[in-house]
Amino acid sequence: MQESMMPFINTSPLFIAIVIGFAVSFNENISIRVPAIIVATATIISFLLPIFNLRSWVTYPVIISESAMFVLTAIILSKKMKRWLAWILGWIAGFVWAIVLLILLGVTFNI
């Protein structure tokens, strides 16, 4: 039974991060600095983990960075366009950000 739970456990941080990202993006009082700081911090942690030989943990800060990028993009774009379109574009930007970050980590640390 545990083997069937492993895929869910491996993907659950992504779902949790997406839900938190949607909940935070609904809050109109949030500052742009908060998701920007989270993106920067999670990115730095992503690059520090392989240095300390913790390559298996890299996915989690990347997921946090992706969700924060979604929130940051959605906040910035929602001021200039409809909120639903800003969310869709923010989600795409977060996804692209995660892929670019994983590619950079893979090339840099041969993961």
Side-chain angles (χ1 to χ4, degrees), residues 25-58:
S25 66
F26 276 118
N27 186 0
E28 295 178 6
N29 297 329
I30 192 166
S31 171
I32 293 176
R33 283 186 244 150
V34 173
I37 291 170
I38 294 172
V39 168
T41 305
T43 302
I44 291 169
I45 291 171
S46 298
F47 279 97
L48 289 177
L49 288 176
I51 293 172
F52 296 112
N53 205 14
L54 297 170
R55 293 180 176 166
S56 62
W57 291 89
V58 167

Side-chain angles (χ1 to χ4, degrees), residues 60-103:
Y60 301 109
V62 169
I63 290 171
I64 293 168
S65 180
E66 173 188 6
S67 300
M69 182 61 78
F70 157 70
V71 172
L72 179 66
T73 308
I75 289 171
I76 292 171
L77 292 177
S78 67
K79 295 177 182 177
K80 298 180 182 187
M81 62 183 62
K82 294 183 179 187
R83 184 170 286 224
W84 64 270
L85 184 58
W87 283 338
I88 292 171
L89 293 175
W91 190 63
I92 292 169
F95 182 71
V96 170
W97 171 253
I99 290 175
V100 168
L101 188 56
L102 287 171
I103 288 171

Side-chain angles (χ1 to χ4, degrees), residues 1-13 15 60:
M1 178 131 186
Q2 274 188 332
E3 291 177 17
S4 64
M5 290 293 291
M6 287 308 282
F8 177 73
I9 292 171
N10 290 339
T11 59
S12 62
F15 293 124
Y60 301 109

